Amino acid sequence: MSAPGRRSSTFTRLLRHGFTDPSAAERLLGAPELAAVRNDPVLLDALGATADPDLALLGLVRLVEAQGDDERRVFLDTLVTAKPLRDRLLGVLGASEALGDHLARHPRDWHALVTYEAADLHPGVAEFERGLADATDPVSLRVAYRRCLLSIAARDVCGTTDVAQAAAELADLATATLRAALTIARKAAPEDAAMCRLAVVAMGKCGGHELNYVSDVDVIFVAEPVEGALQGAAQGADEDHALRAATRLASHLMRICSETNIEGTIWPVDANLRPEGRNGPLVRTLSSHLAYYQRWAKTWEFQALLKARAVAGDLALGEAYVKAVSPLVWQAAERDNFVPDVQKMRRRVVDNIPAAQVERELKLGPGGLRDVEFAVQLLQLVHGRSDATLHQGSTLGALQALSAGGYVGRADAVQLDEAYRFLRAMEHRIQLYRLRRTHLVPQDEADLRRLGRSLGLRTDPVPQLNRAWKRHAAVVRRLHEKIFYRPLLDAVAQLAPGEIRLSPKAAGQRLEALGYADPAAALRHLEALSSGVTRKAAIQRTLLPVLLGWFADSADPDAGLLGFRKVSDALGKTPWYLRLLRDEGAAAENLARVLSAGRLAPDLLLRAPEAVALLGDPEGLKPRGRAHLEQEVLAAVGRADGAETAVAAARGVRRRELFRTAAGDIIGSYGTEESPAEPDPGALVDRVGNALTDLNAATLAGALRAVVRERWGDRLPTRFAVIGMGRFGGHELGYGSDADVLFVHEPWEGEDEQEAARAANTVVAEMRRLLQLPTSDPPLLIDADLRPEGKSGPMVRTLASYAAYYRRWSLVWESQALLRAEPMAGDEELGRRFVELVDPLRYPRAGLGEDAVRDIRRLKARMESERMPRGADPTLHAKLGRGGLSDVEWAVQLVQMRHGAAEPGLRTTRTREALAAARTAGLIAADEAAVLEEAWVLATRVRNAVMLVRGRAGDTFPSDGRELGAVARYLGYEAGHVGDMLDDYRRTTRRARAVVEELFYGTA
């Protein structure tokens, strides 16, 4: 009975000490090699204090087994009596499987853990150089490197050093290792060593004294010839020979560190940050480096040089390099395209993360380490021009300097420092386990448990770890609010006396660096919005840092900030406005996107600022159907006194719905954090076209009701209908489109025909007048030029008159125009009969004769030559240019007129529907239909974008750079990719034109 009882007691004790497999632990403790210590309670407590007691015990048994008899006795005695050694050794064995393997292969290396016992004594480069001094080849260097790594890891996992000190020690060990590797390379090629001065300059984390356990060590090599090394050689030849010799030495150094041997690898040495990257020479002279940086270097290369530090080889040459490039680094923020280049780098980092890894990516993902490093470096580049205290290599050192200088708020800096340290500690422990280069948080429960325990989270390691990680990541995700924008407000807001703040000059520099073209005006807007002690100013100071970031991410930050000030001036005293922006997460970002995307939407909003409420409603940006719109418009008309007031009410509804449509289009195209961009451009085009068509139809219905009610009461002397034509009838309206219409009437039985005609003409004239009156609402322009006889024909005809005209005089182009005829307002039965009248004309039963086809082709060719604006680029004109709207629509309409009588699917007023029907019927090949549809959708979006951006209609891309950039952003291109947009447009429309040539003109 006693044996099972003792076993149960041991099992429970092992569980209590953190072992997850007590049975295996009990067997390991029973190993004969541990007889002298197995019953030592101090040892069991020490094992229980490790990150993974099971792993620590297994590593301990392997290490004891690997000792000789005499060495084993010494080791066990020391283990029992020396607490510092015991804690360090077991701490390493419980945190790192890889270092446990190393100790099993090299069992005497436990002595390295006896060194540096004093808590305040930390090794530097000199101590590590002594630890590597006996290494004479890559294998022995690898062993010596791991031995030194043991001492760093031991102090790290025991808490003797903090994460910043551990990272600095790792960088010092890398420095010593590079020096040792260069010594080995020099000894292998003494003639090369004698010919050149070679300096190794550390970059990245090694240069910044913040290296990981496993990381590429980024370097740049600089070389100069040794004077007189090549007797009698000309200067150029001397330099050439020296560079070849230095290249051989540098390549050998990289192989020593990077290649795998029996002991594995040390770490890769990466020289891709050198001029021209991997395509450039591995080694250059100092003058060659400077020539490149002065003429060709990109912004990111200067950002990389922030951490440059001479570490090995000819230190005098390395320091001369750092001194020479330093002034160029601190001028980088003054370069053209500084902001787009920096934003592009930031986006590229996130875009390159595999989708399945984004949530686990500790370094590159949202709220990760790179976010902190990137922001700190950008602030250094902006403000380091005039403040040398910011010339720091390490992230935490630079963050402290930014805080001391007032560029980052003290509380913000403390939070970021804490978050960065925690995330770096996670990264260190993840890499330490197997000494593999990774930044992914593990998914396995056992790995997460070990990781949590290694960070001191012992009660419930996995949930505690996840909560702490998400909390710190959330702090970092507020990066731009925390360290980019809040100090801008401190520069203009009323602060407590003596509080450190960003100076107005520094605030202006930061705004300029972030893309604001007029920093002085931006600062005035900030002052007007945030100064004072009112509740309004306090809420604005909370909102503005986030809004400024969203504005800066647009093509026109200045316009966004100005628009926000105007809206706030108009609505700031209403209780719901700021509460909406503060409490509804989507509303503020939606407003920022809308205000900075162009002129049209802000102009509409500023005419009725209360429409901002639409931005906070999840359903608020969805277009409303025609029935709903018409019901609201007719109700507003019914409540109004007089036709002018009634139509003004209808136009007010139209203005609000135009804003709803434009805002939904912008947010669907740009996307927000909560609502990603619409993946289907065709769906966006259809949504806009349908919304604008329904809106204009409802507005016409309201205007018709208002005019009739004022002049004739409830009943006009004649039936009256409005027929939509062109893009209106096709449900393909853009923001700048007129409403193409035909007006048709038919006198009621018993009514005088002349009186009916006068009434119909009066209605038309009054509707057009009221809908175009100069008011704060945008006009609805009515274009009736597609009527019989064009501008010289009567404005309105009876149905019988239309029938007589079309029977006797109609031309083929008029039949083509009628392809888009659809009733939009007025008498529904009369509209239906009009459609029945024109169907035989637009879908002729016998198809089109060759003469009619020739006439259509001839008219199209004449239109191309005569209507294209003088000086316009035909490859970039969205309507009349090559492969543009006209090309695609005429090709599709020709198919409709030829085959519409036989193919019911072709009897539609909508281009995309007709194209799909032609593809289904086999009249257009699927690949050709796809080419035409892509070009038509793209050209339509270009026209919409131009109107949204400029506030006025246009068929060509803007010439102004900022407006062109805004069009590109609307079309889904990142900042700095305007050239790609234009190239893609030309390519897409060129392919469409080739299809049109064959389909419409019948030529290959």
Side-chain angles (χ1 to χ4, degrees):
M1 294 293 292
S2 60
R6 281 198 305 272
R7 186 176 182 195
S8 174
S9 174
T10 303
F11 194 90
T12 302
R13 192 156 51 105
L14 290 170
L15 276 175
R16 193 169 61 246
H17 279 84
F19 289 88
T20 58
D21 190 350
S23 299
E26 193 172 12
R27 286 195 302 273
L28 289 171
L29 285 168
E33 291 84 359
L34 293 185
V37 297
R38 74 166 58 97
N39 295 319
D40 185 351
V42 174
L43 175 64
L44 197 59
D45 288 341
L47 285 167
T50 65
D52 188 339
D54 302 86
L55 181 65
L57 178 56
L58 177 62
L60 177 62
V61 171
R62 293 176 65 203
L63 176 57
V64 172
E65 289 174 343
Q67 307 290 335
D69 291 341
D70 293 339
E71 181 69 18
R72 183 181 301 134
R73 193 177 309 109
V74 174
F75 170 71
L76 291 174
D77 287 345
T78 310
L79 183 69
V80 172
T81 58
K83 184 180 188 304
L85 169 71
R86 183 171 61 245
D87 291 344
R88 286 199 291 272
L89 174 64
L90 295 181
V92 168
L93 292 175
S96 178
E97 182 183 84
L99 289 178
D101 292 342
H102 173 83
L103 282 168
R105 287 196 308 272
H106 305 280
R108 293 187 58 83
D109 278 4
W110 67 269
H111 290 281
L113 301 179
V114 179
T115 317
Y116 313 115
E117 289 191 6
D120 60 347
L121 181 59
H122 302 289
V125 176
E127 287 79 11
F128 288 128
E129 283 189 292
R130 284 195 290 273
L132 303 176
D134 294 335
T136 57
D137 56 66
V139 175
S140 60
L141 179 61
R142 173 65 167 169
V143 174
Y145 173 83
R146 282 286 178 96
R147 189 183 305 122
C148 294
L149 196 63
L150 270 170
S151 66
I152 297 175
R155 288 186 298 279
D156 183 13
V157 298
C158 292
T160 306
T161 60
D162 66 6
V163 66
Q165 180 63 37
E169 289 184 16
L170 288 166
D172 285 342
L173 176 56
T175 297
T177 306
L178 288 169
R179 292 178 183 181
L182 184 55
T183 298
I184 295 172
R186 284 178 175 276
K187 287 180 179 178
E191 66 285 356
D192 286 341
M195 195 173 294
C196 65
R197 299 168 60 202
L198 175 63
V200 184
V201 178
M203 307 282 282
K205 282 186 160 49
C206 184
H209 254 103
E210 51 186 12
L211 197 60
N212 297 328
Y213 276 101
V214 187
S215 176
D216 292 355
V217 171
D218 297 306
V219 299
I220 282 178
F221 295 107
V222 190
E224 297 289 347
V226 172
E227 269 188 54
L230 204 62
Q231 296 294 329
Q235 184 176 351
D238 192 26
E239 184 176 291
D240 188 49
H241 279 82
L243 286 175
R244 284 204 294 268
T247 300
R248 289 190 290 269
L249 288 174
S251 300
H252 194 183
L253 178 152
M254 294 175 70
R255 287 196 302 274
I256 290 169
C257 296
S258 306
E259 286 184 351
T260 302
N261 56 47
I262 193 171
E263 292 289 338
T265 60
I266 299 177
W267 19 248
V269 176
D270 188 342
N272 288 336
L273 292 178
R274 66 186 184 269
E276 300 179 74
R278 64 184 60 195
N279 297 320
L282 181 63
V283 182
R284 289 176 183 255
T285 62
L286 176 54
S287 60
S288 175
H289 276 285
L290 290 176
Y292 173 84
Y293 288 127
Q294 288 164 350
R295 292 193 62 189
W296 308 110
K298 297 180 174 63
T299 301
W300 70 263
E301 294 178 275
F302 294 107
Q303 188 171 348
L305 286 168
L306 270 171
K307 297 180 182 292
R309 179 171 63 92
V311 293
D314 191 316
L315 293 180
L317 177 58
E319 287 163 2
Y321 169 90
V322 173
K323 184 178 180 181
V325 300
S326 180
L328 301 176
V329 170
W330 302 113
Q331 295 166 10
E334 299 169 7
R335 293 164 58 89
D336 292 339
N337 299 316
F338 172 73
V339 175
D341 287 347
V342 172
Q343 290 174 336
K344 193 187 307 179
M345 282 188 294
R346 176 170 169 263
R347 279 189 289 266
R348 190 163 54 228
V349 166
V350 177
D351 291 345
N352 287 338
I353 305 172
Q357 297 179 2
V358 170
E359 294 301 318
R360 298 167 51 218
E361 177 57 71
L362 190 64
K363 177 181 178 181
L364 304 178
L369 292 161
R370 183 57 59 84
D371 275 353
V372 180
E373 294 162 355
F374 189 92
V376 168
Q377 290 166 22
L378 184 55
L379 290 180
Q380 285 180 275
L381 289 171
V382 171
H383 301 297
R385 292 175 287 177
S386 56
D387 189 344
T389 65
L390 303 182
H391 298 188
Q392 303 264 351
S394 76
T395 300
L396 292 176
L399 183 56
Q400 186 177 1
L402 286 165
S403 177
Y407 305 105
V408 176
R410 290 192 187 97
D412 300 340
V414 168
Q415 281 190 295
L416 277 171
D417 182 280
E418 181 184 351
Y420 186 73
R421 287 175 186 272
F422 182 85
L423 296 175
R424 281 302 302 274
M426 279 186 70
E427 181 184 46
H428 277 194
R429 299 296 195 274
I430 291 168
Q431 293 183 347
L432 183 60
Y433 176 49
R434 287 194 174 130
L435 288 182
R436 291 180 182 169
R437 184 174 183 265
T438 179
H439 311 288
L440 292 178
V441 177
Q443 295 175 299
D444 182 77
E445 186 81 8
D447 289 334
L448 289 170
R449 180 176 183 272
R450 181 181 53 257
L451 179 57
R453 283 174 59 89
S454 75
L455 295 170
L457 308 173
R458 299 300 175 90
T459 306
D460 201 358
V462 177
Q464 283 182 291
L465 173 67
N466 284 324
R467 283 196 299 269
W469 172 31
K470 298 303 180 186
R471 184 179 72 252
H472 288 297
V475 170
V476 176
R477 290 187 80 166
R478 295 195 299 271
L479 187 68
H480 287 281
E481 175 185 355
K482 287 293 182 183
I483 71 174
F484 272 95
Y485 302 108
R486 192 172 297 283
L488 293 170
L489 301 185
D490 293 347
V492 297
Q494 295 177 2
L495 301 178
E499 185 173 348
I500 293 176
R501 67 178 190 176
L502 200 65
S503 70
K505 179 181 178 183
Q509 287 178 337
R510 184 174 299 185
L511 283 165
E512 184 178 5
L514 291 166
Y516 288 82
D518 190 349
L523 283 173
R524 288 195 298 274
H525 299 325
L526 291 177
E527 184 172 13
L529 288 163
S530 64
S531 292
V533 293
T534 64
R535 178 175 174 78
K536 172 186 171 184
I539 296 177
Q540 292 281 27
R541 286 196 289 271
T542 302
L543 290 170
L544 275 166
V546 185
L547 289 166
L548 283 168
W550 288 323
F551 294 149
D553 194 39
S554 72
D556 195 349
D558 301 79
L561 181 55
L562 174 60
F564 181 68
R565 179 181 176 183
K566 290 179 177 178
V567 172
S568 296
D569 287 346
L571 292 177
K573 293 182 180 179
T574 58
W576 58 267
Y577 167 64
L578 291 175
R579 185 169 63 244
L580 170 77
L581 299 185
R582 183 192 62 196
D583 298 340
E584 298 293 335
E589 186 173 2
N590 288 343
L591 178 61
R593 298 302 182 203
V594 166
L595 290 176
S596 55
R599 296 179 185 172
L600 178 64
D603 285 350
L604 292 170
L605 179 60
L606 290 170
R607 291 172 184 177
E610 65 277 3
V612 77
L614 298 174
L615 302 175
D617 180 0
E619 301 296 312
L621 297 178
K622 292 183 179 179
R624 300 160 75 197
R626 186 184 304 185
H628 191 116
L629 290 169
E630 193 165 313
Q631 182 181 12
E632 181 182 2
V633 168
L634 293 179
V637 167
R639 291 190 298 269
D641 294 328
E644 191 166 315
T645 305
V647 173
R651 289 175 64 180
V653 174
R654 179 172 179 266
R655 178 203 59 237
R656 184 198 66 213
E657 295 304 316
L658 274 175
F659 173 74
R660 187 197 305 272
T661 303
D665 187 16
I666 289 166
I667 291 160
S669 299
Y670 279 65
T672 65
E673 186 173 327
E674 294 191 12
S675 176
E678 166 66 56
D680 180 10
L684 277 172
V685 165
D686 287 348
R687 190 184 309 158
V688 171
N690 287 326
L692 295 177
T693 299
D694 290 345
L695 178 54
N696 284 354
T699 306
L700 286 171
L704 175 59
R705 173 73 63 84
V707 172
V708 171
R709 188 185 66 169
E710 181 169 83
R711 296 290 184 95
W712 294 276
D714 294 331
R715 187 173 181 270
L716 193 66
T718 183
R719 294 174 179 266
F720 186 90
V722 182
I723 310 298
M725 300 287 285
R727 299 196 179 284
F728 188 22
H731 294 252
E732 296 163 355
L733 285 174
Y735 297 107
S737 301
D738 297 342
D740 291 312
V741 298
L742 298 178
F743 296 109
V744 58
H745 80 103
E746 185 178 67
W748 293 102
E749 188 174 346
E751 293 285 353
D752 180 76
E753 291 189 5
Q754 290 186 341
E755 180 61 30
R758 278 196 296 271
N761 278 286
T762 300
V763 166
V764 170
E766 192 66 1
M767 284 177 64
R768 297 183 77 188
R769 182 184 74 83
L770 292 174
L771 288 170
Q772 296 176 35
L773 275 178
T775 69
S776 62
D777 297 318
L780 174 56
L781 301 178
I782 294 176
D783 187 340
D785 288 353
L786 292 176
R787 65 187 183 270
E789 302 178 75
K791 294 180 180 180
S792 58
M795 184 65 69
V796 59
R797 289 175 181 261
T798 63
L799 186 63
S801 175
Y802 275 108
Y805 175 85
Y806 287 137
R807 184 172 57 251
R808 297 184 61 188
W809 308 108
S810 177
L811 301 175
V812 68
W813 73 263
E814 293 178 293
S815 299
Q816 182 182 351
L818 288 168
L819 284 168
R820 293 185 167 193
E822 180 177 302
M824 288 296 172
D827 191 290
E828 292 182 6
E829 183 190 351
L830 181 60
R832 179 180 55 76
R833 288 164 56 205
F834 180 88
V835 169
E836 291 173 354
L837 168 67
V838 301
D839 270 351
L841 278 79
R842 54 185 180 178
Y843 310 124
R845 188 178 300 277
L848 282 182
E850 285 305 310
D851 288 345
V853 172
R854 270 196 303 273
D855 286 346
I856 291 175
R857 288 172 176 164
R858 190 180 300 119
L859 182 61
K860 173 74 165 66
R862 195 177 80 196
M863 185 181 71
E864 288 179 16
S865 64
E866 294 178 0
R867 295 181 59 185
M868 177 73 71
R870 182 178 299 176
D873 183 348
T875 68
L876 293 176
H877 197 282
K879 182 177 181 180
L880 302 175
R882 180 193 69 187
L885 295 173
S886 177
D887 269 1
V888 176
E889 289 163 1
W890 281 59
V892 172
Q893 289 163 12
L894 182 60
V895 173
Q896 287 181 277
M897 295 183 73
R898 278 177 155 172
H899 305 284
E903 292 292 340
L906 292 173
R907 298 172 210 161
T908 175
T909 63
R910 307 180 187 214
T911 302
R912 292 182 72 206
E913 284 186 6
L915 191 54
R919 181 180 61 231
T920 302
L923 301 172
I924 300 178
D927 58 338
E928 293 181 338
V931 168
L932 293 178
E933 181 177 23
E934 182 184 9
W936 186 87
V937 168
L938 179 57
T940 301
R941 295 198 74 212
V942 167
R943 297 181 88 208
N944 282 344
V946 170
M947 184 66 183
L948 284 170
V949 169
R950 303 181 69 191
R952 59 181 187 274
D955 294 316
T956 60
F957 290 90
S959 56
D960 177 80
R962 212 164 254 257
E963 292 179 345
L964 191 61
V967 169
R969 295 299 298 276
Y970 172 85
L971 294 177
Y973 291 85
E974 299 289 357
H977 286 271
V978 165
D980 294 340
M981 172 187 68
L982 297 177
D983 289 344
D984 289 347
Y985 182 86
R986 287 189 172 101
R987 185 184 308 111
T988 300
T989 53
R990 182 175 63 246
R991 292 170 58 210
R993 178 65 181 194
V995 174
V996 170
E997 292 281 357
E998 183 174 353
L999 190 65
F1000 183 81
Y1001 291 109
T1003 60

